[in-house]
Amino acid sequence: QIKDSATLTRDVLEQHFSDLKGTLKKLLDERLMSLLQEVDVIEQESIKPLDECQKLIEHGVSTADDLLREGESAVDGDVGQQNEKLCNFTKKALHIQLDSLPEVPSLVDVPCLSAQLDDCLLTILKNQIFRHGTVASRPPVQLEEFVEKPGGILVRWCKVDEDFIAQDYRLQYRKSTASPFEDVYVGSETEFMVLHIDPNVDYQFRVCARGDGRQEWSPWSVPQIGRTTLVPHEWTTGLEGYSLSSRRNIALRNDSQSCGVLYSKAPTYFCGQTLTFRQVLFGIETVGQPDRRDSLGVCVEQRNGDDSLQRDKAVCISTNGAVFVNGKEMTNQLPAVTSGSTVTFDMEVVQLGPCSNEGGNFKLRVTISSNNREVVFDWVLDQCCGSLYFGCSFSYPGWKVLVF
């Protein structure tokens, strides 16, 4: 790891400074070209009136010189032609203003170009360059834990540099080393549930952070492999009253008049494998008209013909917040399920008595949470349950439930 990361760091530094040199040269060339063009413009604009003045003076001198030679010729001619030449010379001289000259600007008014080059730029660049870039022996943030979820992975990370004050975190993942990393989360939390994960497939994760008030991101953490062995939760297909997404993890109560309980495709919520189990999350994205029989929950078995989960061998929460255990309403109540609500089920196995194929006392300690409130109760069953179904029932269209 040390040699590989050192080689990669050298490559990154060399490429960065090579790009930087190319960019700086391009910027300096562009600035030089701009200044040279400015010199050309000032030169052309300043010399134009002087050139015109010079042309006028040269024209006047040339005209006077021609007139002088014409006068000498008239004087040197014979008497017969003298009078005529002198007459023409006099007329021509009267029409030429030999005493008129254009105004010539004074020397102080004539532009004198020069270049002002401040040497402090080199000092500024030197100071900035010597402070540019750092080499870190380890990133300030590292991946801490991967928690398997049905069709997903809960990724947790933590700071390893106590002096680093993080403003945001950035989590990336990729399915194989041949694929590029892609952003999956940017925010202030230190954990994120990555969904749409294929079971029994390795995914590579990395995380970085942005310091408080900074724009640049920190170095990436050491990439780590995460995977889930749990198949994704899916709603069962074929129930007329519900439409499913392509991944079958979202159920929408449609306009059909048919009603009933929509169950999971299989009993994919396992209880009894560890001390603590968390039931799938139900995120309500769109809320329709409520009914007192509307419910979200888990059950021991699928049972056709029921219009609600408010029955025996099931625990559920209704959309008005009432909690039902085996069809009986509890005195404790949770907040009503509204748009954006999330309901969670946590279950811990507690065995009361002998459990056999013929049945026995079997208890699950259930915690149902909704909108930062929770109820805890014991659910006693007459048989051991290795896994549970989840389900929902809605009477009116518009309810949309995401399970994961």
Side-chain angles (χ1 to χ4, degrees):
Q1 175 177 312
I2 295 176
K3 290 185 176 180
D4 290 344
S5 62
T7 300
L8 178 61
T9 301
R10 291 189 190 96
D11 293 341
V12 170
L13 288 172
E14 290 174 356
Q15 184 62 49
H16 174 76
F17 277 85
S18 176
D19 294 342
L20 197 60
K21 285 189 286 186
T23 302
L24 285 174
K25 183 180 184 305
K26 180 181 179 182
L27 292 174
L28 289 172
D29 289 343
E30 290 178 354
R31 181 56 179 163
L32 174 60
M33 186 61 64
S34 175
L35 292 174
L36 292 176
Q37 290 176 352
E38 191 173 340
V39 171
D40 293 340
V41 171
I42 295 176
E43 180 185 25
Q44 292 172 6
E45 291 180 351
S46 301
I47 207 168
K48 183 178 179 180
L50 296 177
D51 286 342
E52 293 176 351
C53 181
Q54 181 178 358
K55 290 178 181 179
L56 289 175
I57 293 175
E58 289 176 349
H59 177 71
V61 172
S62 176
T63 303
D65 189 50
D66 292 341
L67 186 62
L68 179 60
R69 285 195 295 270
E70 188 175 340
E72 291 175 348
S73 175
V75 172
D76 295 339
D78 56 31
V79 178
Q81 294 179 345
Q82 234 175 19
N83 291 334
E84 182 180 355
K85 287 183 177 182
L86 287 173
C87 182
N88 292 335
F89 170 77
T90 302
K91 289 180 180 180
K92 192 173 184 179
L94 291 175
H95 287 86
I96 297 177
Q97 297 179 348
L98 295 178
D99 59 346
S100 176
L101 291 174
E103 182 180 358
V104 179
S106 62
L107 188 60
V108 295
D109 294 331
V110 177
C112 180
L113 279 71
S114 63
Q116 285 76 49
L117 301 174
D118 194 346
D119 291 339
C120 71
L121 175 63
L122 295 177
T123 304
I124 295 173
L125 286 176
K126 181 179 178 181
N127 293 333
Q128 292 293 330
I129 289 173
F130 283 166
R131 290 199 302 265
H132 180 68
T134 58
V135 176
S137 60
R138 55 177 53 86
V141 183
Q142 292 286 8
L143 294 167
E144 182 180 29
E145 184 182 17
F146 298 101
V147 181
E148 291 186 72
K149 295 292 182 179
I153 300 174
L154 177 62
V155 184
R156 293 193 176 105
W157 54 89
C158 64
K159 288 197 309 175
V160 294
D161 183 355
E162 295 299 328
D163 296 330
F164 183 83
I165 301 175
Q167 174 180 301
D168 292 305
Y169 298 98
R170 181 182 180 187
L171 178 67
Q172 290 189 337
Y173 82 131
R174 62 183 178 182
K175 192 171 183 179
S176 66
T177 56
S179 304
F181 279 99
E182 58 181 273
D183 289 343
V184 68
Y185 173 76
V186 176
S188 59
E189 300 296 327
T190 55
E191 66 177 36
F192 183 73
M193 173 75 76
V194 183
L195 298 177
H196 310 319
I197 295 294
D198 296 329
N200 301 308
V201 174
D202 288 342
Y203 287 81
Q204 197 173 48
F205 294 86
R206 66 181 185 180
V207 67
C208 66
R210 180 162 50 196
D212 188 23
R214 305 294 293 267
Q215 293 297 321
E216 70 277 6
W217 292 99
S218 73
W220 290 105
S221 66
V222 177
Q224 295 190 39
I225 300 297
R227 64 156 47 198
T228 181
T229 59
L230 306 177
V231 297
H233 290 306
E234 295 182 8
W235 297 104
T236 189
T237 59
L239 191 61
E240 185 178 349
Y242 295 87
S243 303
L244 306 182
S245 64
S246 59
R247 290 183 176 268
R248 296 182 291 279
N249 61 341
I250 299 177
L252 171 65
R253 182 65 169 92
N254 55 36
D255 296 334
S256 173
Q257 297 299 317
S258 176
C259 61
V261 179
L262 176 66
Y263 293 102
S264 58
K265 180 181 178 180
T268 51
Y269 177 61
F270 295 95
C271 296
Q273 294 181 343
T274 61
L275 294 176
T276 304
F277 291 85
R278 286 184 176 85
Q279 172 63 340
V280 295
L281 305 174
F282 295 91
I284 311 303
E285 297 183 353
T286 309
V287 176
Q289 182 180 349
D291 185 273
R292 67 180 186 87
R293 301 288 291 170
D294 295 344
S295 306
L296 297 165
V298 296
C299 57
V300 175
E301 60 189 6
Q302 293 180 336
R303 202 163 73 183
N304 297 327
D306 294 326
D307 60 354
S308 175
L309 280 175
Q310 299 170 18
R311 60 169 176 82
D312 63 334
K313 295 186 178 181
V315 294
C316 64
I317 175 176
S318 67
T319 53
N320 63 5
V323 177
F324 291 84
V325 182
N326 291 330
K328 296 181 180 180
E329 183 176 354
M330 297 181 61
T331 55
N332 294 335
Q333 186 164 333
L334 292 170
V337 178
T338 58
S339 179
S341 295
T342 297
V343 180
T344 64
F345 289 77
D346 298 280
M347 296 191 183
E348 181 181 353
V349 177
V350 180
Q351 189 123 2
L352 291 181
C355 181
S356 64
N357 293 333
E358 289 75 23
N361 293 326
F362 188 74
K363 182 169 68 172
L364 297 175
R365 185 154 296 157
V366 182
T367 302
I368 304 179
S369 303
S370 176
N371 292 333
N372 297 322
R373 290 181 56 187
E374 65 179 30
V375 294
V376 182
F377 58 89
D378 290 337
W379 182 23
V380 180
L381 299 171
D382 59 1
Q383 62 183 14
C384 295
C385 294
S387 58
L388 296 170
Y389 291 87
F390 57 86
C392 68
S393 59
F394 299 104
S395 301
Y396 299 99
W399 292 90
K400 188 176 183 181
V401 181
L402 166 68
V403 56
F404 59 93

